[in-house]
Structure formats: structure tokens, C-alpha cells
């Protein structure tokens, strides 16, 4: 039997936790951060701050004529690689700062791995570029953009890139030693660097997917059949968030274990909640 700390929140029951997890402690949400970035893009477009079809070079120092738009970045059709080239294996994003991103922007037209707009190529790099573009357009740091356009309108407060350490939960490794989390607070932050309590994350999912308080879900969300979903994973955490059109929703966060197992748990919970 797995002893992976797990937190489950659904539309059908009260929060459930095992092995020391908590709905009220901060955890890494990994690529679920992209939902914040994509939603901010749509909100800024509605406000006239930018256009979702703006070429990336309108806001950043990228080569002209790449054909890459903000929409391409948001729906992973920009043709960019999954990761910035040359990342180390250990704590891969530690040195990926604004200067490193600027160096890649200079050759954005030479590092694509697929034709722009023709195929979906999931890209953390693409979301780093998108987050930088949003910051440039708003003339604000990324996290302030997200706070202004997404979190404050939804009254969600326990979501940040820099949570108080005394309220954080971490996965453990061999002999119960705490796993040091990856550093994801530089240029890669818009792709996967936010921390949140599971309760705040569930509130976000319900507000965006079920109640649609900020309009139709951003193109960041994935859809398979009747499920609208997104996942996230870091070195020591994984999360699944999803909802059905009938208002059924589920969130699973685990400290350790595989993302695949977390995904399967989430899908099963959606099915169970719908039938209950």
C-alpha cells in the first residue's frame, strides 16, 4: 500500500488527506502554474492591454518574422522545445534567469523543433516566453500580473512563488530525509514555479472551470472527451486538476509518487464523483 502523502478535494466530499498531507499547507503546483499564465493572457486581451494574436516580437526582443504569437505560446503550438536547451539534470532551472531567457529569445527562430501552428509541442520554454511577454505588456513582474488579473478578482490569496517556509510541505526521500525542491523562481516561473495550498488550488479550479468567473477557460487547459484538465509535477510533488461539464471537479496533490498515478487517481475521482 502506498504511503505517499496525498490530499484529495472534490465536488462530492470534504477534503481527505493521508500520511501528513494538508489542504492548508503550501505545496508546489508545478505546471498548473501555466493555468494562471494562460488566464492572465486572456484577461489582459479582454482589457485591451495586448492581443492574443500579437507576435512575440511586439513585446520581447525576438527576431521578426518567426510567426510565433502569444496564442501559439499559450496552446503549445509555437514549435518550441519542451525545455530550454542545455539545462543541467540536477535542479535544472536554478540558473535559468532573465539573462538566459534573453539569450534564447535572440535565436528563437533557430531553436524551434516543429513548424509554428502545425502541431502541439508541450513547452515549458514557451510559457517562460509567454510570461515574459505578459510582464512586458503590463510593465509589472510576472507574479504581480497574475495577482492583478487572476488571483485578486477571484479572492484567492494562498498562491505565491515565495510561501512562508513554516507553512510548506515537502516530499521526503531515503530514510525520511526532506527532498530539497527545485528552484523554479527565475524566468521559468510562469511555466511551473508557483506554490499554493491545495484548498486555494481547488478554489481556483472551481472558479475557472465550473463557475467560469473569468470567462471561458484559457487555452492552457487540456480537453479529452468530457474532461477539462491540467497537471503539474516537480521533483517532489504532483497534481491533477480537472472538471466535467456538469460541474463535477476533482483535485489530487501528492508529495512523491509518480505523476501518472496522480493522473489516474484524479480521473477515477471524477468518474466516482459524477456517479455518486
Amino acid at each position: 500500500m502506498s504511503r505517499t502523502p496525498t490530499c484529495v478535494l472534490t465536488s462530492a466530499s470534504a477534503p481527505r488527506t493521508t500520511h501528513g498531507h494538508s489542504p492548508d499547507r503550501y505545496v508546489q503546483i508545478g505546471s498548473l502554474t501555466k493555468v494562471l499564465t494562460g488566464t492572465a493572457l486572456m484577461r489582459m486581451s479582454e482589457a485591451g492591454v495586448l492581443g492574443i494574436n500579437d507576435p512575440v516580437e511586439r513585446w520581447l526582443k525576438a527576431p521578426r518574422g518567426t510567426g510565433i504569437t502569444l496564442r501559439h505560446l499559450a496552446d503549445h503550438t509555437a514549435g518550441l522545445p519542451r525545455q530550454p536547451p542545455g539545462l543541467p539534470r540536477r535542479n535544472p532551472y536554478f540558473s535559468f534567469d532573465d539573462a538566459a531567457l534573453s539569450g534564447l529569445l535572440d535565436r528563437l527562430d533557430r531553436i524551434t523543433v516543429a513548424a509554428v501552428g502545425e502541431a502541439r509541442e508541450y513547452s515549458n520554454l514557451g510559457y517562460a516566453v509567454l510570461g515574459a511577454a505578459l510582464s512586458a505588456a503590463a510593465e509589472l513582474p510576472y507574479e504581480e500580473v497574475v495577482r492583478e488579473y487572476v488571483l485578486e478578482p477571484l479572492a484567492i490569496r494562498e498562491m505565491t512563488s515565495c510561501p512562508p517556509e513554516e507553512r510548506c510541505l515537502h516530499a521526503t526521500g531515503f530514510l525520511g530525509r526532506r527532498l530539497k525542491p527545485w528552484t523554479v523562481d527565475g524566468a521559468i516561473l510562469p511555466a511551473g514555479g508557483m506554490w499554493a495550498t491545495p484548498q486555494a488550488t481547488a478554489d481556483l479550479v472551481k472558479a475557472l472551470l465550473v463557475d467560469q468567473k473569468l470567462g471561458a477557460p484559457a487555452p492552457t487547459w487540456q480537453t479529452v472527451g468530457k474532461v477539462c484538465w491540467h497537471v503539474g509535477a516537480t521533483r517532489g510533488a504532483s497534481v491533477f486538476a480537472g472538471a466535467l461539464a456538469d460541474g463535477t471537479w476533482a483535485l489530487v496533490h501528492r508529495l512523491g509518487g509518480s505523476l501518472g498515478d496522480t493522473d489516474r487517481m484524479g480521473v477515477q475521482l471524477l468518474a466516482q464523483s459524477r456517479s455518486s
Side-chain angles (χ1 to χ4, degrees), residues 8-19:
V8 172
L9 297 97
T10 74
S11 51
S13 62
R16 291 172 284 159
T17 61
T18 64
H19 307 301

Side-chain angles (χ1 to χ4, degrees), residues 33-99:
T33 302
K34 292 181 176 70
V35 168
L36 298 171
T37 309
T39 303
L41 167 66
M42 303 308 291
R43 294 271 292 163
M44 291 172 70
S45 177
E46 292 166 5
V49 177
L50 47 66
I52 59 173
N53 293 314
D54 285 349
V56 67
E57 62 265 29
R58 178 180 177 187
W59 300 109
L60 300 172
K61 292 182 179 179
R64 294 184 177 275
T66 64
I68 297 174
T69 67
L70 303 186
R71 183 192 293 272
H72 288 136
L73 296 170
D75 64 16
H76 298 288
T77 58
L80 294 174
R82 184 181 185 92
Q83 301 284 44
L87 294 181
R89 294 185 64 182
R90 185 173 297 180
N91 202 1
Y93 306 113
F94 178 76
S95 60
F96 190 68
D97 55 15
D98 291 341

Side-chain angles (χ1 to χ4, degrees), residues 36 40 59 78-80 100 114 127 130 155 159 163 168 193 196 199 218-219 227 236 240-241 247:
L36 298 171
W59 300 109
L80 294 174
Y127 262 76
L130 178 58
M159 195 166 283
C168 291
Q199 184 61 66
V227 182
F240 169 93

Side-chain angles (χ1 to χ4, degrees), residues 76-171:
H76 298 288
T77 58
L80 294 174
R82 184 181 185 92
Q83 301 284 44
L87 294 181
R89 294 185 64 182
R90 185 173 297 180
N91 202 1
Y93 306 113
F94 178 76
S95 60
F96 190 68
D97 55 15
D98 291 341
L101 178 59
S102 294
L104 290 178
L105 287 172
D106 288 341
R107 53 193 180 98
L108 203 62
D109 55 342
R110 288 175 280 149
I111 62 174
T112 54
V113 295
V116 177
E118 292 189 7
R120 187 177 181 277
E121 190 75 28
Y122 187 89
S123 179
N124 288 320
L125 173 58
Y127 262 76
V129 175
L130 178 58
L134 300 186
S135 294
E139 298 182 339
L140 293 170
Y142 167 77
E143 192 164 353
E144 290 187 31
V145 172
V146 165
R147 197 158 304 284
E148 178 175 339
Y149 287 96
V150 184
L151 299 180
E152 287 185 356
L154 298 178
I156 292 175
R157 295 177 178 82
E158 294 186 321
M159 195 166 283
T160 177
S161 66
C162 190
E165 178 57 35
E166 67 273 12
R167 290 193 60 199
C168 291
L169 285 176
H170 302 277

Side-chain angles (χ1 to χ4, degrees), residues 6-10 15-17 21-29 32 158-159 167 169 195-205 238-241 249-255:
T6 301
C7 184
V8 172
L9 297 97
T10 74
R16 291 172 284 159
T17 61
H21 211 310
S22 169
D24 301 314
R25 298 278 295 278
Y26 282 93
V27 290
Q28 288 184 301
I29 62 171
L32 201 58
E158 294 186 321
M159 195 166 283
R167 290 193 60 199
L169 285 176
W195 293 66
T197 64
Q199 184 61 66
T201 309
D203 292 343
L204 179 77
V205 172
S238 59
V239 60
F240 169 93
W249 61 268
L251 176 90
V252 179
H253 191 282
R254 302 169 77 223
L255 293 167

